[in-house]
Amino acid sequence: MVSVRVALCPHISVEHYRGGEKWAVTLANRLAADGVDISIRSLPYTPDGERRVGVRDVLDRRVPYRESWRHDLSGFDAAYVFYAPLANLFFTGETASIAGIHSWVFVSKRLYESHYGAVPTAVKALYRLIGPWDLGRYDAVHTVTPAFESPHPNTVYIPNFVDTEQFHPDRAPLAADFTVLVTAAHIREKGWDTVRSIARRLPAEIRVEATGTSDEPAIEDLGFLTEDELASAYSRAHLVLHPARVDTDSMVINEACASGTPVVTTALPTHVGNGQAVLRCNTVSEMVDTIEAVHREWARGDGYDRRCRAARRHGEEHGVDVIYPKLKRLLLSAGRAGA
């Protein structure tokens, strides 16, 4: 077998450790365990300067890691670059390359969205101007959502993966009181203002918990949770609330469903799933009504268990055993082509 060297290239420091960074770490750790020569080369950028973990607390010691504003990848056979227009200016070198589409920026039809700032809007405008040419410089494109309309002839759709053994319905018993869990970042893009409005309108018998800390009296703070603690929180909750305004293939939805917990979310084109487990709403009032309706189902013992089973089935479709082999083949095939 031909040995290949592969680099994963996120544009945000792994130590920020949210969606894309977790994806890169989990994939790198699994590849290393399989004997693949895998490294991570990252930009040192962190949104709001937030570094939530130490890199060696989450990344396998066998995976070399380097942060820099410019990386020469000529020593690698393949590079997977988290795509942004002109990312090749930061990740240079003659090697087989895959552009990874993980951002809502490249899915949304609107150029300007109020919850975005100037930089994402500029990125979107630049993509609209040079996207087909810029993506054409890559050998392949990988998208985590079928909602991305790719101009590249070699585009592969592989959704995000979730560890269905770690995120599992039996990890922890359901809470005694009906509990709605929020795990996304406390920012407008992920609907934190909507979460607060909903929490204030729900009746007292419905508890709302959220990871992190806030100053909202209607929400119980859980603080920062490890992955194991997060998995237990998903399993204990009766519903997950995820009113994101921007998302691709949401790990919140994937992890919640793998835990057998239905999700109340927004009607984004990237929020796919059956209507039993993934409940898509358009307004705060609809979300409040939906949460109360599921609460009544649970209280009556009427239909709630079916929702949970439907959620687990949806989560299993994104299981590591299903998705990881596809990603491994994509990276290694690109690497052999570039070797």
Side-chain angles (χ1 to χ4, degrees):
M1 185 177 75
V2 178
S3 177
V4 299
R5 295 192 67 206
V6 179
L8 299 180
C9 305
H11 50 254
I12 295 176
S13 167
V14 157
E15 293 188 340
H16 187 64
Y17 208 59
R18 295 208 69 89
E21 302 82 67
K22 286 185 179 182
W23 183 92
V25 166
T26 304
L27 179 57
N29 288 348
R30 287 192 171 267
L31 289 167
D34 280 352
V36 177
D37 189 347
I38 182 72
S39 300
I40 294 183
R41 298 289 184 263
S42 171
L43 300 186
Y45 171 65
T46 55
D48 299 321
E50 184 181 24
R51 293 179 180 264
R52 304 172 77 238
V53 300
V55 64
R56 286 303 161 192
D57 292 333
V58 294
L59 188 61
D60 192 299
R61 296 280 174 180
R62 293 169 291 185
V63 181
Y65 177 78
R66 185 179 304 160
E67 287 187 13
S68 175
W69 285 111
R70 189 166 183 177
H71 295 278
D72 179 2
L73 303 178
S74 56
F76 293 92
D77 300 306
Y80 181 101
V81 179
F82 281 65
Y83 179 72
L86 303 179
N88 300 89
L89 297 176
F90 303 97
F91 301 101
T92 64
E94 295 297 326
T95 187
S97 58
I98 301 167
I101 304 296
H102 292 253
S103 174
W104 172 256
V105 165
F106 308 113
V107 178
S108 172
K109 301 295 184 184
R110 292 188 292 181
L111 177 60
Y112 175 75
E113 298 177 76
S114 60
H115 46 271
Y116 272 151
V119 173
T121 300
V123 168
K124 188 182 295 189
L126 183 60
Y127 174 73
R128 291 189 178 185
L129 182 66
I130 67 169
W133 167 80
D134 193 48
L135 279 176
R137 298 192 294 169
Y138 293 84
D139 297 285
V141 170
H142 163 235
T143 173
V144 298
T145 172
F148 174 64
E149 298 176 359
S150 176
H152 198 290
N154 185 19
T155 297
V156 180
Y157 162 58
I158 305 173
N160 287 328
F161 52 79
V162 61
D163 187 339
T164 53
E165 293 185 3
Q166 181 179 41
F167 293 89
H168 192 279
D170 296 333
R171 184 176 183 90
L174 279 173
D177 298 325
F178 191 88
T179 301
V180 177
L181 175 67
V182 180
T183 63
H186 296 186
I187 55 178
R188 180 173 170 78
E189 291 90 334
K190 297 301 180 182
W192 180 245
D193 56 316
T194 303
V195 169
R196 296 178 68 161
S197 296
I198 291 170
R200 293 166 187 165
R201 293 174 58 173
L202 289 172
E205 61 266 25
I206 298 178
R207 296 174 55 204
V208 179
E209 298 180 341
T211 55
T213 58
S214 73
D215 58 356
E216 175 54 60
I219 299 173
E220 180 180 338
D221 294 340
L222 297 179
F224 174 74
L225 302 182
T226 67
E227 287 297 284
D228 282 344
E229 290 169 339
L230 180 63
S232 295
Y234 275 124
S235 184
R236 287 196 305 270
H238 297 79
L239 271 178
V240 166
L241 175 60
H242 185 56
R245 293 180 173 90
V246 297
D247 239 340
T248 46
D249 183 32
S250 170
M251 285 307 298
V252 171
I253 293 176
N254 295 339
E255 291 169 350
C257 285
S259 305
T261 305
V263 183
V264 175
T265 189
T266 41
L268 298 179
T270 53
H271 285 171
V272 298
N274 60 65
Q276 281 190 298
V278 182
L279 307 171
R280 309 196 320 167
C281 304
N282 292 300
T283 66
V284 168
S285 294
E286 283 185 27
M287 291 184 184
V288 170
D289 290 345
T290 299
I291 292 169
E292 291 180 336
V294 176
H295 173 242
R296 288 192 295 271
E297 285 181 355
W298 169 77
R300 294 194 307 261
D302 178 23
Y304 177 74
D305 288 344
R306 287 196 298 274
R307 287 194 187 278
C308 295
R309 290 192 294 270
R312 176 62 182 179
R313 289 195 297 271
H314 179 74
E316 288 174 338
E317 293 172 2
H318 289 71
V320 171
D321 292 344
V322 176
I323 302 301
Y324 167 70
K326 298 178 182 179
L327 290 169
K328 182 179 177 182
R329 283 196 297 271
L330 175 66
L331 294 171
L332 293 186
S333 62
R336 292 182 185 118

